[in-house]
Amino acid sequence: MDLDYTTNEPKMEKDYSETVKELLPEVEELANNGELRQALEKLHGLEKKTRAAADLWSTTQLLERMAEVCGEAKEWVMLEQEVAAMAKKHGQLKQAITKMVQKAMSYVDKTPDEQSRIDLIEALRTVTEGKIHVEVERARLTRMRVAIYENNGQIKEACDTLQEIQVETYGSMERREKTDFILEQMRLCLAKRDYIRMAIISHKINPKYFEHEDTEDLKLRFYELMIQYDVHEENYLEVCRHYNQVYTTKSIKEDVNKWPAVLQNIIMYLVLSPFDNEQSDMLHRFKQDHNLEKLELCAQLVKSFTTMELMRWPVMEHIYGPEFRTTDVFSAQTEDGNKRWITLRDRVIEHNVRVIAKYYSRANITRLNELLDLDADDVEAFLSKAVVAGTIYARIDRPSGVVNFSKPRDGEEQLNGWASDVGKLLSLVEKTTHLISKEEIVNKIARAI
């Protein structure tokens, strides 16, 4: 049988549309009188002919009417059986099956109880399994099933069921719906505490898609989920990046009730991040943000971390503790909040170590104890950590109790230094000679006059 390339179905051999139009009122009358069997038999008889003739419009009308007759009569078992039977018919037209499944789906919300709803959903999922032309319908039915699982507190079953659907491979699903589906998969993975799978699924979404105007709600949902994930993983710089994406969103930026909280979280997670070039760059960029001036404490904190001066932790705790300890980030009521407060203390000490390494070439351990408000063992631990991270150079002489912050230069560096010094000296001599010659010439001219 030849294909009709406009519909990708077999070419129609005979048109039964007029016959169908005459039959449908009779079927409706039988259905209204409660004679469902007779109505379905009439539909079956004509459906066989329209299917054999590849009459797509007529077949679609008949299949939809079969689903409608069963659904309106609230015969849910009969509806399941009819859909399953019609989908298995030899040579059944794909588009007709799709329309019938869509019609049956419209009755899911009309089922009288949860069990009937589950049975109908599962029956339709069975019909759509493995069929590309109804893959979108299968995905939507799966979400309905997952919603029931979640309402019953079965998070694991809901998550596992939703993972079966790989919507990123569906060509017939719109990108917005596809993204929404993936976000739901991410949310359930977080609810199940399956963080590894959540991270894998998150890579299926391209953040550039959120540059479109109508995707703002999806963008906020995506970054909210990513913030939860990276907070759990303690990737504070990533958390800061996610909050920055939220902060630059138009609806957040223009709402004076929303952006202060977001900006505050950016600053808090930024100072919690380990020091590196990117962290330092972001800190200096946010220092230039005019909105930061409206958050006094956050502005002071950024200034303290961007200024090469010592910060005494007891003083910092006294200034920032009363307000910061009431926030979700540093909450005194949660274990994570207390842990992050300790991390902030460590970041303050690490900053102080970098300041000391910049201004001191050598320092006594006792003096460092006073400057850092730590005992000798803790000082050594923080120095070692900074050296391993590559942020400072330091060598500890334990017998003498001295820390050397000056990096020794090898022979080549020493010679280059000497050559540079000699070059500067010769340049000064040449400049001095030139000034002397200029002065002599001026004096000669003055005498001649």
Side-chain angles (χ1 to χ4, degrees), residues 417-433:
W418 290 345
S420 175
D421 292 342
V422 170
K424 289 178 182 178
L425 178 62
L426 291 175
S427 177
L428 290 171
V429 170
E430 184 179 355
K431 185 176 181 180
T432 304
T433 304

Side-chain angles (χ1 to χ4, degrees), residues 387-425:
V387 170
V388 170
T391 55
I392 67 166
Y393 174 88
R395 291 293 180 269
I396 302 174
D397 185 351
R398 281 178 173 168
S400 62
V402 174
V403 179
N404 187 359
F405 294 105
S406 298
K407 186 175 182 179
R409 296 191 293 182
D410 57 23
E412 184 177 351
E413 289 177 336
Q414 193 74 36
L415 288 173
N416 288 338
W418 290 345
S420 175
D421 292 342
V422 170
K424 289 178 182 178
L425 178 62

Side-chain angles (χ1 to χ4, degrees), residues 358-404:
K358 179 178 180 180
Y359 293 116
Y360 283 77
S361 57
R362 299 173 75 239
N364 193 289
I365 288 286
T366 307
R367 178 60 176 155
L368 291 179
N369 295 348
E370 297 173 1
L371 293 174
L372 298 176
D373 297 309
L374 298 171
D375 57 33
D377 291 338
D378 288 338
V379 167
E380 187 172 324
F382 276 98
L383 286 173
S384 302
K385 186 177 178 182
V387 170
V388 170
T391 55
I392 67 166
Y393 174 88
R395 291 293 180 269
I396 302 174
D397 185 351
R398 281 178 173 168
S400 62
V402 174
V403 179
N404 187 359

Side-chain angles (χ1 to χ4, degrees), residues 165-205:
I165 309 299
Q166 307 298 323
V167 291
E168 65 275 8
T169 63
Y170 291 3
S172 54
M173 182 180 281
E174 290 185 3
R175 192 172 183 183
R176 180 181 176 84
E177 185 178 1
K178 198 181 294 187
T179 304
D180 180 61
F181 199 97
I182 295 173
L183 289 174
E184 192 67 11
Q185 289 179 328
M186 291 170 60
R187 184 184 67 80
L188 286 173
C189 283
L190 279 179
K192 186 186 172 184
R193 298 186 181 278
D194 189 349
Y195 295 101
I196 295 175
R197 186 176 293 276
M198 189 274 181
I200 294 170
I201 294 173
S202 68
H203 293 305
K204 296 177 181 179
I205 296 178

Side-chain angles (χ1 to χ4, degrees), residues 325-352:
R325 295 291 273 167
T326 60
T327 63
D328 292 336
V329 180
F330 297 114
S331 175
Q333 309 300 322
T334 64
E335 182 180 348
D336 290 339
N338 290 323
K339 186 177 179 181
R340 285 191 281 269
W341 187 248
I342 295 172
T343 302
L344 179 61
R345 169 182 170 272
D346 293 347
R347 297 292 178 260
V348 169
I349 295 171
E350 290 167 7
H351 170 82
N352 291 340

Side-chain angles (χ1 to χ4, degrees), residues 53-325:
D55 185 351
L56 177 59
W57 183 88
S58 300
T59 306
T60 301
Q61 292 294 315
L62 293 172
L63 293 185
E64 283 187 324
R65 188 52 58 93
M66 290 178 195
E68 185 179 340
V69 165
C70 298
E72 293 299 329
K74 303 188 184 304
E75 293 289 343
W76 311 116
V77 176
M78 189 180 293
L79 174 60
E80 296 164 16
Q81 293 172 348
E82 285 297 319
V83 174
M86 289 299 108
K88 292 178 182 178
K89 293 290 185 180
H90 178 70
Q92 189 61 273
L93 303 176
K94 296 175 182 178
Q95 291 187 34
I97 296 174
T98 302
K99 293 292 185 181
M100 186 180 192
V101 169
Q102 290 173 351
K103 192 68 175 179
M105 285 174 60
S106 67
Y107 290 101
V108 170
D109 293 332
K110 298 179 181 179
T111 49
D113 53 61
E114 185 177 284
Q115 190 56 49
S116 300
R117 187 177 297 111
I118 292 173
D119 291 341
L120 180 56
I121 290 172
E122 290 296 344
L124 294 175
R125 289 185 71 224
T126 302
V127 169
T128 56
E129 186 175 5
K131 296 182 177 68
I132 295 178
H133 53 283
V134 284
E135 60 186 6
V136 175
E137 285 70 24
R138 178 172 174 76
R140 291 168 181 167
L141 287 164
T142 301
R143 284 197 68 171
M144 294 178 188
R145 184 69 182 95
V146 165
I148 295 173
Y149 274 133
E150 194 173 4
N151 290 337
N152 294 333
Q154 298 172 287
I155 301 299
K156 182 179 183 301
E157 290 78 1
C159 184
D160 293 342
T161 303
L162 205 62
Q163 301 312 313
E164 297 172 4
I165 309 299
Q166 307 298 323
V167 291
E168 65 275 8
T169 63
Y170 291 3
S172 54
M173 182 180 281
E174 290 185 3
R175 192 172 183 183
R176 180 181 176 84
E177 185 178 1
K178 198 181 294 187
T179 304
D180 180 61
F181 199 97
I182 295 173
L183 289 174
E184 192 67 11
Q185 289 179 328
M186 291 170 60
R187 184 184 67 80
L188 286 173
C189 283
L190 279 179
K192 186 186 172 184
R193 298 186 181 278
D194 189 349
Y195 295 101
I196 295 175
R197 186 176 293 276
M198 189 274 181
I200 294 170
I201 294 173
S202 68
H203 293 305
K204 296 177 181 179
I205 296 178
N206 186 351
K208 290 184 178 180
Y209 170 64
F210 299 128
E211 294 175 4
H212 295 83
E213 292 183 1
D214 60 338
T215 59
E216 197 169 283
D217 57 326
L218 298 177
K219 175 183 178 181
L220 294 176
R221 282 174 58 196
F222 173 74
Y223 284 111
E224 179 60 34
L225 293 170
M226 292 306 300
I227 286 167
Q228 293 180 40
Y229 167 75
D230 282 310
V231 166
H232 175 268
E233 296 295 315
E234 297 182 6
N235 298 327
Y236 296 133
L237 192 59
E238 290 296 325
V239 175
C240 181
R241 288 197 194 98
H242 300 325
Y243 269 120
N244 189 30
Q245 291 293 331
V246 175
Y247 180 61
T248 55
T249 303
K250 186 177 179 181
S251 62
I252 301 296
K253 196 81 171 178
E254 295 176 352
D255 192 337
V256 294
N257 296 319
K258 292 181 179 178
W259 69 256
V262 176
L263 183 57
Q264 178 176 275
N265 285 334
I266 291 174
I267 300 304
M268 288 180 176
Y269 282 111
L270 195 51
V271 297
L272 284 173
S273 305
F275 175 82
D276 59 18
N277 291 336
E278 187 175 2
Q279 188 263 4
S280 178
D281 177 64
M282 289 186 72
L283 206 55
H284 282 83
R285 280 195 285 114
F286 277 106
K287 186 180 179 181
Q288 306 301 321
D289 193 325
H290 296 298
N291 285 335
L292 190 61
E293 299 171 2
K294 301 172 185 177
L295 304 176
E296 186 178 348
L297 281 181
C298 289
Q300 290 179 13
L301 187 63
V302 170
K303 184 179 179 181
S304 298
F305 272 93
T306 53
T307 305
M308 294 304 286
E309 295 179 0
L310 291 177
M311 296 185 285
R312 301 294 296 273
W313 174 247
V315 177
M316 297 285 291
E317 194 170 22
H318 175 73
I319 295 173
Y320 300 104
E323 183 170 330
F324 280 14
R325 295 291 273 167

